[in-house]
Amino acid sequence: EVDFLEPLPENLIPAEIDVAFYLIHSMSAGGDFESREAKTAHHFLAGMERTQCRQIIYLSGIVNDDHLSPHLRSRHQVEKILSSGSIALTTLRAGIILGSGSASFEIIRDLVEKLPVMIAPKWLATLCQPIAVRNVIQFLSGVILQEKYYNNNYDIAGPDVLSYKQMLLQFAKVRGLKRSIFIVPVMTPKLSSYWLYFVTSTSYPLAVNLVHSMKVPVVAKPNDLAKELKIELIPYKMAIELAFQKIEQNLVLSSWKDAFVSSDTPSEWMQQIVVPAYGCYKDIKWRPISEDEVGNVVDNIWQIGGKKGWYYANWLWRIRGFLDKLVGGVGLRRGRRSLTEIKSGDALDFWRVLIADKFGKRLLLFAEMKVPGEAWLEFKVMKKDNIPHIRQIATFRPKGLWGRLYWYAVLPFHYFIFNGMIDNLVKKELNLPTPV
C-alpha cells in the first residue's frame, strides 16, 4: 500500500517492474483536487524512475473540447507530468466507463431506478461516448510493452455517441422501466450538484466535479487502435446488460463507494479494530441461540444493510440516512457491494466495515454518518455460560456536550431499534420489507 500524496520511501517499490498502470484520481475528495492530482503524479513518476519500468499506461479522460472542466483539465495536466520523465507513456483517454461498481454507472442506475419522472438540467443534452469496462481492460492490456504505442495518446470509446438523456432512457429500456425526462434551463451547476447528491449515492464533492464535467462534450477522436488490437467494441445497451449479469450473480468485486475518499473517514481507521472501553456510552444486547441456529444467525448478520435493510424499523434508518445527507454526510444510498459477502474496508450504507471475520463470527462497523462523536456497531456469535449467544454492542464516544446530548436524545429510538434488530437476527425465516 502506498500513499502517493507523500514522497515514496526508497526501495518501497520493487525494482523489477516492466509496466506500471496509473489509475489514480482525487475528484471525490473535493477542495483543491487539481494540486493533489499533480502531487500524486509527481510522486508516482519519481518512484517509477527508481525501478526498471519501461512503460507507464495512464487511463485518462477525453480532452478534445476547447473549454475543459477542472476535472478534465487536471487529467490533461497529469498526462503532461507523467510524460515529462524518462519512462515511455501510453495514455488511453476514456469518457464514461460502463461497469458494475463504477461511479458513472452507479449514478446513472440511481437516477433511473429511483426517479420515474426527472426534471433535469440542460447538460443532459451534452454528448458523450461511453465505453464498456470490458473494452477498457482490453485496451489497457493490449498496449502493454507495445513499442509502437509508446509516447502516444489514444481516445478509447464505444460505438455509440449519446446524450446523457439518451443514456438514461436507454438504460431504463434495458431494465424494463418506463421513464420520462424533462429538461429545464433554470438549474444552476450548484442546484444540479445538490440534485445528484440527494438522489444518488455520490458524495457532494464528486457531484460538483461531475456536473462541471458533464457540461463538456466527451466524444472520441477516431483512431485505429481497436482495429489493431482486434477489440470488438460493445454497444451501450449490451454493456448495461453485461454489467447487470455481474450484479445479479453477486460478482461485483469492488466499487468506487468503497474508497475511503467517498467519505470523511481516514483510512487509518481500518487499524482501529479495538473499540474504546472508556469514556463511551454502550448499548449491549444478548440473545441465546441453539447450536443449530448459529450458522443461520451468522448468515443473517452477513446480509445486513443494503437491500435487506437493518432488520427492524427500516423507515427510521431511511430517515436517519436522509438527515445525514442534509448535513453533508454519506446517507444510506451507498448500499453494499454484494448481497451476501462482506469484507474489511467495504462501505455498508453509512457504516465502514472494520472487521468481517466470518470464521470468528464477528462483524465490526464504524459509523461514517455525521455524529458529534464516534460510533461503532458490533455483532458477534459466541459462548456465554456455555450456551451460544449473539452479542450486539452499539458504542458511542461523544465529543463534548453536544455528543452527550445527542446520545440521550436518540436513546428512546435505540431501545426499540436495537432490541428489534437483534430479535430479528435470530429468526430463521425473515420476510422483511425491502427498503425503497
Side-chain angles (χ1 to χ4, degrees), residues 119-136:
I119 309 298
K122 59 185 178 181
W123 49 255
L124 254 68
T126 305
L127 294 178
C128 59
Q129 197 167 356
I131 180 170
V133 66
R134 298 181 189 214
N135 283 156
V136 174

Side-chain angles (χ1 to χ4, degrees), residues 24-326:
I24 301 169
H25 77 75
S26 305
M27 194 166 64
S28 295
D32 187 13
F33 72 90
E34 292 181 76
S35 65
R36 279 196 293 270
E37 294 204 330
K39 188 182 293 186
T40 58
H42 280 298
H43 291 161
F44 176 87
L45 182 61
M48 289 305 109
E49 289 194 321
R50 295 200 293 264
T51 73
Q52 299 164 13
C53 184
R54 290 183 280 158
Q55 182 190 24
I56 293 172
I57 300 172
Y58 169 41
L59 181 60
S60 182
I62 293 176
V63 288
N64 296 331
D65 198 76
D66 293 334
H67 303 286
L68 298 176
S69 66
H71 160 55
L72 293 174
R73 187 172 64 237
S74 179
R75 300 281 78 198
H76 198 212
Q77 177 64 20
V78 167
E79 184 177 334
K80 291 178 182 177
I81 294 169
L82 296 178
S83 66
S84 67
S86 59
I87 304 170
L89 176 68
T90 304
T91 303
L92 301 177
R93 299 170 172 173
I96 284 182
I97 296 175
L98 302 166
S100 50
S102 102
S104 301
F105 175 87
E106 297 296 345
I107 288 168
I108 292 170
R109 182 183 177 187
D110 278 344
L111 290 172
V112 170
E113 293 186 354
K114 292 170 182 171
L115 298 176
V117 178
M118 295 180 223
I119 309 298
K122 59 185 178 181
W123 49 255
L124 254 68
T126 305
L127 294 178
C128 59
Q129 197 167 356
I131 180 170
V133 66
R134 298 181 189 214
N135 283 156
V136 174
I137 293 169
Q138 288 172 319
F139 279 113
L140 288 169
S141 57
V143 299
I144 291 175
L145 297 178
Q146 299 292 317
E147 292 188 13
K148 65 185 292 188
Y149 304 126
Y150 286 6
N151 300 313
N152 278 307
N153 61 73
Y154 303 89
D155 289 357
I156 59 172
D160 301 316
V161 178
L162 304 165
S163 68
Y164 288 104
K165 179 178 179 178
Q166 289 172 316
M167 287 173 58
L168 292 168
L169 291 175
Q170 289 192 25
F171 190 105
K173 193 170 183 179
V174 170
R175 299 299 294 155
L177 300 168
K178 203 169 182 180
R179 296 293 182 256
S180 298
I181 301 175
F182 301 96
I183 295 178
V184 294
V186 293
M187 287 187 80
T188 64
K190 193 164 189 175
L191 281 174
S192 298
S193 302
Y194 279 119
W195 179 67
L196 274 186
Y197 171 62
F198 278 109
V199 174
T200 74
S201 53
T202 183
S203 63
Y204 182 70
L206 181 57
V208 171
N209 290 311
L210 283 172
V211 164
H212 285 296
S213 293
M214 285 171 170
K215 295 186 290 183
V216 179
V218 183
V219 179
K221 287 180 180 176
N223 59 65
D224 295 325
L225 187 60
K227 185 178 177 183
E228 291 172 12
L229 298 178
K230 298 181 173 55
I231 295 173
E232 186 177 343
L233 298 175
I234 300 171
Y236 177 78
K237 287 184 179 179
M238 187 181 294
I240 301 301
E241 290 171 356
L242 291 170
F244 274 95
Q245 285 180 17
K246 290 282 186 184
I247 293 168
E248 286 158 4
Q249 296 173 52
N250 283 320
L251 295 175
V252 181
L253 299 179
S254 64
S255 172
W256 71 277
K257 291 175 281 192
D258 295 331
F260 277 93
V261 78
S262 72
S263 67
D264 292 328
T265 304
S267 58
E268 291 78 18
W269 274 108
M270 287 305 299
Q271 309 306 317
Q272 181 106 356
I273 57 175
V274 178
V275 180
Y278 301 103
C280 298
Y281 297 114
K282 290 182 182 283
D283 183 295
I284 304 174
K285 302 275 188 279
W286 293 86
R287 294 292 185 274
I289 55 178
S290 69
E291 292 284 357
D292 293 341
E293 293 173 321
V294 168
N296 182 70
V297 171
V298 172
D299 286 342
N300 287 342
I301 294 170
W302 248 248
Q303 294 175 58
I304 202 166
K307 288 186 177 179
K308 199 151 193 176
W310 291 85
Y311 291 96
Y312 184 80
N314 281 325
W315 61 278
L316 283 175
W317 288 92
R318 292 199 293 274
I319 290 173
R320 182 64 182 88
F322 176 73
L323 294 175
D324 193 51
K325 276 275 191 180
L326 287 179

